[in-house]
Amino acid sequence: MKRTLPALGVVFTAALALTGCGLGTTGTTDATSTAQIPELAADQQVSIVFESYSYGVAGAWTETFNALIADFSAQHPNIKVTAQKPQGNSPNPATDTVSSIQNQMVAGTPPDVAQLGFSDLDFTIHQLKAKPLDQLVGAEAVKQNFDGARHAYAPRARTLDDWDGHTYGVPFVFSTPVLYLNASLFTEAGLDPAKPPTTWDEVTTAAKTIAERTGKGGVYIDCLTKTAKDWCFQSLVRSNGGRVISEDRNTLTFADAPAVEVTEMAQNLVNTGSMPKLNQKQGYEAFGRGEIGMMLETSALQSVFVTGSKGKWDLRSAPMPGFGTKPAIPTNSGAGLHILSNDPAKQRAAWELIKHLTSEDSYKKIAQNIGYLPLRTGLLEEAGGLKEWADQNPLLRPNVAQLANMEPWVSMPGNNYLQMRDGMMDAVEAVVFQGADPRSTLTAARTAGTELMPKS
């Protein structure tokens, strides 16, 4: 199944996007489709299970989502929501989501509604059997939710969970890669934090200077390990003029020159002592403690950095750097909300929860407490909405600025997509942090991944 990418046409007040598995289609759902499940009676008691990797992260994430569900419960006393994190031991709970749901499906107790990554969309639809919302609750209900009470979803964000003319989920949270800066280390190294690097050559120079003059890490790029997944690595490769998979989704291309050059650049940062050898968790924790000068990272960790830097060092942010004169092309991270239940009453209750979690009030909490941009971007200009908060939080600006040239996170196809993605990222990690040869290592991973591609 192939899907085409709609025009971005993004502006400040109407643009956010994420994706999975090739992107939202240009097609729309059938406007004549009608709801197949009845509304709940006012006194009809329903219990549903909501699985979200956000519960696997301590602090602002879990606290915020607990508050969102508490608000929902107060408004819907007849619907009991049991929230749970994915079952697994990965340091990144999002990594456990698919296997967690598969295990529960085998046991006959899958969650009723789940937060699933955009890179899992193909598998979510065809193997986890997510329900087409336009058929479940009706195309008009789906449209009304996207239109919102006061602010509509960004046009580009509406179709990110679409497939073959149907809407299988509602995009929920995401970010683009942001270059966070420790301005205090910049100043200590004799650099001007008001002029952050705009290219990776400039990052390399600044990182080397910071490391030599302060004894701290110069930069950490959280795009280069299997735990980090591949959304940010795709952004680096796209910014260097390449792709990890061909546009027709038939050929793996992550051993082509643009990807090889990205890993060579990062390997050089490690070899020169400018980037410390750390895993993902060690990397963001070290930056939070003020031990690294720059970090390319999702805004989902912004609250961690704000807390770590408060009263200790000067935290700033900048857009993702590019390669030479090539334009930087940020991709996205994130997930959508999908209904997995086969029970009509639970399906209706799950839809009510999805509407609540993607409402204006919910996005205010998500943006203020976590750092994700609200998909209802009109909130950023609404007095009493998020305008005052946005004006007081300059860390937000690079993420907003990058929306105009953002491209989607594209997943690997078929049932072996995780093995293909992880094989690619294992190779990237071996090159960058273990000194493996870039071209031959990526080529070997591509050969192995090609064997896992769906057979036509």
Side-chain angles (χ1 to χ4, degrees):
M1 182 180 297
K2 298 181 178 67
R3 306 197 306 177
T4 55
L5 174 64
L8 290 176
V10 245
V11 295
F12 180 89
T13 58
L16 281 182
L18 246 188
T19 183
C21 201
L23 258 246
T25 64
T26 54
T28 58
T29 56
D30 180 4
T32 63
S33 63
T34 58
Q36 301 298 308
I37 54 175
E39 298 279 355
L40 295 177
D43 59 349
Q44 186 174 356
Q45 300 297 311
V46 182
S47 296
I48 58 173
V49 174
F50 171 41
E51 183 149 328
S52 167
Y53 61 75
S54 298
Y55 288 95
V57 182
W61 281 67
T62 300
E63 293 169 2
T64 299
F65 282 83
N66 280 337
L68 294 177
I69 291 174
D71 291 343
F72 175 79
S73 298
Q75 297 171 28
H76 299 82
N78 61 318
I79 301 176
K80 178 183 178 182
V81 179
T82 299
Q84 65 185 28
K85 65 180 182 180
Q87 302 166 6
N89 300 309
S90 170
N92 182 349
T95 303
D96 293 323
T97 302
V98 170
S99 60
S100 172
I101 292 175
Q102 284 182 294
N103 291 337
Q104 293 171 81
M105 289 178 71
V106 170
T109 58
D112 301 296
V113 58
Q115 179 181 338
L116 286 153
F118 289 95
S119 70
D120 304 315
L121 183 58
D122 186 332
F123 195 85
T124 295
I125 293 169
H126 297 109
Q127 298 302 319
L128 301 184
K129 303 300 182 183
K131 305 302 184 285
L133 300 178
D134 55 289
Q135 294 182 343
L136 206 64
V137 300
E140 183 59 30
V142 173
K143 178 181 181 299
Q144 287 176 358
N145 182 59
F146 281 134
D147 288 344
R150 302 190 310 279
H151 300 289
Y153 258 55
R156 178 62 188 82
R158 289 177 179 239
T159 60
L160 296 178
D161 274 318
D162 281 12
W163 190 279
D164 198 23
H166 294 285
T167 299
Y168 283 88
V170 178
F172 184 37
V173 291
F174 52 78
S175 175
T176 60
V178 175
L179 185 67
Y180 288 97
L181 310 172
N182 183 328
S184 301
L185 282 182
F186 264 69
T187 301
E188 184 180 340
L191 302 172
D192 185 358
K195 298 179 180 178
T198 59
T199 68
W200 286 105
D201 283 344
E202 292 177 358
V203 169
T204 298
T205 300
K208 187 172 186 294
T209 301
I210 291 169
E212 290 177 347
R213 295 182 182 178
T214 70
K216 301 291 181 66
V219 64
Y220 187 82
I221 304 172
D222 189 15
C223 312
L224 308 167
T225 64
K226 182 168 68 176
T227 306
K229 297 189 176 182
D230 66 330
W231 72 277
C232 184
F233 178 66
Q234 286 194 25
S235 185
L236 293 173
V237 175
R238 286 293 297 123
S239 296
N240 199 33
R243 299 178 183 274
V244 301
I245 187 171
S246 61
E247 291 186 81
D248 64 10
R249 297 177 55 73
N250 291 327
T251 306
L252 300 178
T253 55
F254 60 79
D256 291 358
V260 171
E261 290 167 2
V262 167
T263 61
E264 288 174 336
M265 178 273 292
Q267 185 186 70
N268 179 62
L269 288 170
V270 173
N271 290 343
T272 59
S274 300
M275 183 161 67
K277 291 184 178 181
L278 301 173
N279 63 33
Q280 181 186 51
K281 187 172 186 290
Q282 292 169 334
Y284 71 71
E285 287 180 345
F287 183 79
R289 291 192 300 266
E291 297 173 0
I292 300 176
M294 295 170 282
M295 186 166 190
L296 191 69
E297 187 55 273
T298 167
S299 66
L301 288 175
Q302 181 172 296
S303 62
V304 175
F305 300 153
V306 170
T307 300
S309 64
K310 190 173 183 179
K312 300 174 184 176
W313 52 276
D314 183 3
L315 173 66
R316 302 187 192 180
S317 62
M320 183 184 73
F323 288 86
T325 59
K326 301 171 187 174
I329 301 177
T331 54
N332 53 264
S333 60
L337 299 174
H338 298 264
I339 295 176
L340 305 181
S341 176
N342 293 316
D343 179 87
K346 291 180 181 292
Q347 290 172 341
R348 175 60 66 177
W351 173 243
E352 295 300 326
L353 178 62
I354 289 175
K355 288 194 296 181
H356 174 79
L357 292 175
T358 58
S359 67
E360 287 91 346
D361 288 344
S362 291
Y363 274 125
K364 285 175 63 176
K365 291 183 174 68
I366 290 169
Q368 291 173 323
N369 297 339
I370 296 174
Y372 273 128
L373 285 174
L375 275 66
R376 301 185 187 279
T377 48
L379 285 165
L380 298 170
E381 293 187 343
E382 179 190 326
L386 287 172
K387 186 180 188 304
E388 295 82 1
W389 173 80
D391 290 344
Q392 296 170 11
N393 288 272
L395 295 174
L396 175 76
R397 294 170 189 160
N399 219 346
V400 175
Q402 291 182 150
L403 299 177
N405 58 335
M406 182 173 58
E407 291 189 7
W409 178 12
V410 181
S411 76
M412 300 298 177
N415 292 345
N416 297 315
Y417 76 106
L418 290 176
Q419 295 95 311
M420 295 159 63
R421 183 193 72 194
D422 291 350
M424 175 180 70
M425 295 310 296
D426 277 336
V428 171
E429 189 171 345
V431 170
V432 176
F433 294 108
Q434 300 163 26
D437 176 72
R439 187 172 300 279
S440 63
T441 303
L442 291 174
T443 298
R446 180 185 62 188
T447 299
T450 299
E451 292 298 315
L452 298 172
M453 290 281 284
K455 303 298 187 276
S456 58

